[in-house]
Amino acid sequence: MSDLKAHAELLRDLHHGKMLVLPNAWDEPSAHLVTEMGFPVVATSSAAVAETLGHRDGENAPWQEMFAAAARIAAAVPVPVTVDAEAGYGLEPDEFVARLLEAGAVGCNLEDTDHRAGGLVDAAAQADRLAGVRAAADAAGVPIVINARIDVFLPSSPIPEPDRLGEAVRRSRLYRDAGADCVYPIGGSTRDTLTRLVADGPVNGNTTDSLDLHALRELGVARVSYGPRFYRGGLAAMRDALEKLAS
């Protein structure tokens, strides 16, 4: 538990210095590659992990399989591991934190998409859930790093386009007050959105055609993640190679 606490404290500290770059992994070999290239943290991609297990993203993989994959990754590398835990798989906060720590992970993404009813979870209810996770982590003695994903910019969001930025700011503040260390406006990596959210604390951004790593750093983004981008890039490269073999 002392090692987990040290890893959690390191992960949290890395949100307040040089921008943390997280090229997401999905298995032990990809996690090894991340650390071999000098990155100080391994983050998982739920989409990539689920697909390698034969399931679709969006909490379609059994949570036991997802945590088992995270445990294999954490056991394979000497650096902190943060897990894309989707919406938490319906686990109560105490059990969720216990499973996370049992896997050897010290951080998590928790999104506010409602995978059962569709749309978004009520913001206040999501804040209560995040507060429960924070309290459970405190009780366990490990200050896990919570990256609260805000899904208002996704195509599945019911929030009208003109209201999305305001709703993202509202959710960001609620989630931070509940104990989130960082917020992640997935699908909303624009200058306007990131500038507004960075003013309140650490933000997870994504590179886009108009925002490279340098631009995100200049905006004050704390961390950058890539989701399943490298996993799918590997499959695309394999497809290209197979097409050449088959021609």
Side-chain angles (χ1 to χ4, degrees):
M1 196 63 74
S2 62
D3 289 343
L4 289 175
K5 182 178 180 182
H7 272 184
E9 290 171 345
L10 172 59
L11 177 57
R12 178 171 288 172
D13 289 345
L14 289 170
H15 284 70
H16 298 279
K18 179 181 177 182
M19 187 172 69
L20 177 61
V21 178
L22 299 169
N24 302 68
W26 55 92
D27 60 9
E28 298 97 302
S30 60
H32 275 302
L33 187 55
V34 168
T35 59
E36 286 171 11
M37 295 305 294
F39 293 94
V41 174
V42 169
T44 70
S45 160
S46 67
V49 172
E51 288 180 20
T52 61
L53 294 172
H55 304 279
R56 291 180 295 107
D57 192 24
E59 298 204 342
N60 289 291
W63 63 264
Q64 295 91 337
E65 293 186 33
M66 298 295 284
F67 277 112
R72 291 191 293 271
I73 289 171
V77 297
V79 300
V81 171
T82 180
V83 172
D84 182 353
E86 304 183 77
Y89 308 108
L91 299 174
E92 291 299 319
D94 287 351
E95 183 174 10
F96 174 79
V97 169
R99 299 295 181 179
L100 189 73
L101 297 177
E102 182 180 57
V106 295
C108 60
N109 281 14
L110 286 171
E111 61 201 41
D112 56 10
T113 288
D114 190 330
H115 292 289
R116 290 157 183 79
L120 299 174
V121 175
D122 175 77
Q126 181 70 357
D128 286 344
R129 177 169 177 76
L130 294 172
V133 171
R134 171 56 63 213
D138 289 346
V142 179
I144 66 170
V145 175
I146 301 172
N147 188 35
R149 210 178 83 174
I150 298 170
D151 292 357
V152 301
F153 298 101
L154 294 180
S156 57
S157 168
I159 308 298
E161 181 72 31
D163 300 331
R164 289 183 173 183
L165 177 53
E167 180 64 10
V169 171
R170 184 177 79 90
R171 286 178 179 252
S172 169
R173 291 172 178 167
L174 283 171
Y175 298 169
R176 291 184 194 279
D177 288 346
D181 299 280
C182 185
V183 297
Y184 178 17
I186 188 170
S189 278
T190 66
R191 288 184 181 276
D192 287 347
T193 299
L194 295 174
T195 298
R196 287 284 299 276
L197 295 180
V198 162
D200 291 329
V203 173
N204 187 141
N206 300 121
T207 56
T208 66
D209 290 341
S210 59
L211 291 175
D212 60 12
L213 285 176
H214 176 74
L216 292 173
R217 189 176 291 112
E218 290 294 308
L219 288 172
V221 168
R223 65 188 259 179
V224 178
S225 56
Y226 290 82
R229 194 179 307 184
F230 296 112
Y231 164 73
R232 290 180 177 155
L235 290 178
M238 184 176 179
R239 174 181 289 277
D240 290 343
L242 293 178
E243 286 177 348
K244 292 176 182 177
L245 287 176
S247 62

